[in-house]
Amino acid sequence: MGQREWAIVAIVAALLLGMMWYFFVTQPLQGRILELQAEVDRLTVERDRGRAAQRALPQLRETIARLDAERQ
């Protein structure tokens, strides 16, 4: 084979490797990124709910203490 044929083979091989990289590495990673973003969103909601409960805790403790005092 001549130099031109080897260059064509090298170009085709590089294109095939690039396509394989895209379909076997990049595409699955993009799907995983979407899953992780959904999990981060879910955990952010849980974190905000926990922080709201934490802020309400002193008032809840006061209410419990007041109700215990009234009951006694």
Side-chain angles (χ1 to χ4, degrees):
M1 272 202 267
Q3 186 176 1
R4 180 178 179 197
E5 288 83 13
W6 280 112
I8 291 172
V9 168
I11 291 171
V12 169
L15 288 174
L16 287 175
L17 284 173
M19 288 174 53
M20 288 174 54
W21 178 267
Y22 177 77
F23 286 110
F24 292 121
V25 176
T26 305
Q27 287 289 34
L29 286 178
Q30 287 177 351
R32 181 74 175 132
I33 287 170
L34 293 176
E35 291 173 12
L36 290 174
Q37 285 176 340
E39 187 175 350
V40 165
D41 292 341
R42 182 184 60 81
L43 291 172
T44 300
V45 169
E46 287 184 25
R47 181 204 63 198
D48 293 343
R49 190 177 305 140
R51 285 183 178 169
Q54 187 179 25
R55 284 190 301 271
L57 188 58
Q59 182 182 2
L60 180 60
R61 286 184 177 153
E62 289 175 12
T63 304
I64 290 172
R66 183 178 46 81
L67 291 174
D68 280 343
E70 286 177 8
R71 185 180 58 166
Q72 293 176 0

